[in-house]
């Protein structure tokens, strides 16, 4: 397992001065899936960890490493994992769970051993994960797509028709602070969130996938009066601080996994920004 990539918190006024290169260095996570590696980024924004496990020819074990100062990764953390690749297996303290594409699993604090493996190396699993600090252990739960809560949003006229699939969510199961879901943008639409919003009581990471080789998402971030753009390719993620809007438009329809943690788990606790007020 690779050492954690550490990203520090910063003041919104600092981001106003960033060049494109500095924005990408601070907020963009480019290398999510590295063959036969677990590649994770540790953000000081609510201390979320996000990244991927890509077991192609061997099993991969999730370890605490030096950065967490813990005996094992989930000693003081909870974890959510989606599979977006071929069929894969997660082994949790000896119990195996098979995850097909878009299946999710929530793993409670205190689980000591987490192992990722693919069933077929010619079509390997791609495990995307988020982890947040936890103070209580909740039961591990396997969540296929039919166990998620499905919310239809937007309309074709405004190019934002999408399905929000809420997996690790207060209406589905209880966690300490981690929330995760998978949103699918309908064909012909491109906006993932518009009107944009902020939520001061929690941060968010967006992981974009199902984009073509020549497609991108223009991800909008920053304070409403100082909107900035990060161009994101397939299977990359972006860190969104609590003070930042997070919205984006793709050159084709796509999907993204959102992971949130912070003080408040209430999904609708957000401050909507009128589109014409953005600058």
């Amino acid at each position: 397992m690779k050492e954690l990539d550490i990203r520090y918190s910063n003041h919104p006024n600092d981001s106003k001065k960033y060049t494109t290169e500095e924005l990408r260095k601070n907020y963009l996570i480019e290398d999510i899936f590295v063959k036969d590696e677990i590649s994770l980024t540790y953000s000081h924004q609510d201390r979320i960890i996000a990244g991927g496990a890509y077991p192609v020819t061997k099993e991969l074990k999730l370890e605490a490493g030096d950065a967490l100062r813990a005996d094992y990764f989930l000693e003081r953390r909870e974890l959510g994992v989606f599979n977006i690749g071929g069929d894969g297996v997660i082994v949790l303290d000896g119990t195996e769970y098979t995850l097909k594409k878009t299946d999710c699993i929530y793993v409670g604090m205190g689980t000591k051993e987490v192992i990722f493996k693919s069933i077929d190396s010619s079509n390997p699993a791609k495990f995307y994960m988020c982890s947040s600090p936890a103070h209580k252990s909740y039961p591990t739960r396997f969540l296929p797509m039919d166990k998620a809560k499905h919310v239809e949003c937007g309309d074709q006229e405004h190019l934002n028709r999408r399905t929000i699939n809420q997996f690790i969510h207060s209406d589905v199961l209880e966690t300490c602070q981690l929330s995760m879901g998978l949103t699918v943008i309908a064909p012909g639409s491109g906006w993932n969130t518009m009107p944009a919003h902020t939520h001061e009581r929690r941060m968010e990471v967006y992981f974009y996938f199902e984009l073509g080789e020549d497609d991108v998402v223009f991800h909008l971030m920053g304070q409403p009066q100082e909107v900035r753009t990060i161009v994101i390719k397939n299977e990359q993620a972006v860190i969104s601080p609590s003070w930042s809007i997070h919205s984006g438009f793709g050159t084709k329809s796509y999907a993204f996994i959102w992971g949130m943690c912070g003080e408040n788990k209430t999904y609708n606790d957000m401050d909507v920004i009128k589109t014409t007020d953005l600058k």
Side-chain angles (χ1 to χ4, degrees):
M1 178 171 162
K2 297 169 62 177
E3 286 296 317
L4 293 176
D5 177 12
I6 307 294
R7 307 288 181 92
Y8 289 96
S9 301
N10 52 5
H11 194 279
N13 286 341
D14 295 333
S15 296
K16 296 179 182 181
K17 305 170 187 175
Y18 285 170
T19 64
T20 296
E21 182 180 355
E22 289 170 326
L23 279 176
R24 295 173 68 85
K25 182 178 180 181
N26 280 277
Y27 300 113
L28 180 64
I29 306 174
E30 296 186 84
D31 299 321
I32 301 288
F33 297 118
V34 180
K35 181 180 177 181
D36 289 328
E37 293 279 1
I38 296 176
S39 179
L40 300 176
T41 295
Y42 180 112
S43 172
H44 281 257
Q45 307 283 351
D46 285 312
R47 300 191 180 275
I48 197 169
I49 294 175
Y54 191 27
V56 179
T57 65
K58 62 181 181 181
E59 299 178 358
L60 302 176
K61 184 176 181 180
L62 184 62
E63 298 176 324
D66 185 60
L68 293 186
R69 297 292 199 275
D71 291 335
Y72 52 95
F73 190 91
L74 294 177
E75 183 178 9
R76 300 184 296 269
R77 287 184 160 268
E78 56 189 350
L79 175 72
V81 182
F82 279 88
N83 181 16
I84 65 159
D87 293 353
V89 174
I90 296 182
V91 186
L92 304 174
D93 288 342
T95 301
E96 293 194 355
Y97 299 86
T98 299
L99 273 68
K100 299 182 181 298
K101 188 172 183 178
T102 74
D103 285 348
C104 173
I105 192 166
Y106 169 78
V107 187
M109 182 184 73
T111 303
K112 291 185 176 180
E113 187 176 64
V114 180
I115 296 173
F116 301 95
K117 55 186 180 180
S118 294
I119 292 177
D120 180 0
S121 60
S122 66
N123 184 27
K126 290 183 174 181
F127 297 103
Y128 175 74
M129 68 190 86
C130 288
S131 172
S132 64
H135 59 272
K136 181 179 178 180
S137 179
Y138 289 100
T140 291
R141 185 168 168 186
F142 170 64
L143 298 161
M145 180 62 80
D146 62 1
K147 297 297 183 183
K149 179 181 177 181
H150 312 292
V151 181
E152 300 294 330
C153 292
D155 58 69
Q156 197 61 49
E157 180 181 4
H158 293 91
L159 305 179
N160 64 354
R161 188 162 64 88
R162 62 203 188 276
T163 303
I164 302 174
N165 303 292
Q166 300 168 338
F167 285 81
I168 301 175
H169 182 276
S170 57
D171 289 343
V172 180
L173 78 167
E174 191 169 7
T175 68
C176 282
Q177 62 167 315
L178 183 65
S179 297
M180 292 184 74
L182 190 162
T183 297
V184 179
I185 310 301
S189 284
W191 287 109
N192 58 53
T193 304
M194 187 57 73
H197 63 266
T198 60
H199 26 71
E200 281 286 349
R201 290 147 294 276
R202 59 177 184 236
M203 62 79 64
E204 191 161 4
V205 175
Y206 270 28
F207 167 72
Y208 291 100
F209 66 109
E210 300 291 356
L211 285 161
E213 183 177 343
D214 296 322
D215 293 300
V216 298
V217 169
F218 296 91
H219 180 86
L220 306 181
M221 67 157 297
Q223 291 181 298
Q225 69 275 16
E226 190 80 24
V227 176
R228 308 296 298 276
T229 304
I230 298 179
V231 180
I232 299 180
K233 298 178 182 178
N234 188 46
E235 297 181 356
Q236 294 182 344
V238 62
I239 299 166
S240 179
S242 60
W243 47 261
S244 174
I245 67 165
H246 36 275
S247 181
F249 193 88
T251 55
K252 67 173 289 293
S253 57
Y254 54 94
F256 70 98
I257 294 171
W258 40 271
M260 297 186 287
C261 67
E263 182 179 6
N264 197 341
K265 293 185 294 183
T266 304
Y267 184 80
N268 290 324
D269 176 16
M270 60 184 71
D271 299 310
V272 176
I273 312 299
K274 189 177 179 181
T275 305
T276 52
D277 288 339
L278 296 174
K279 296 179 180 179

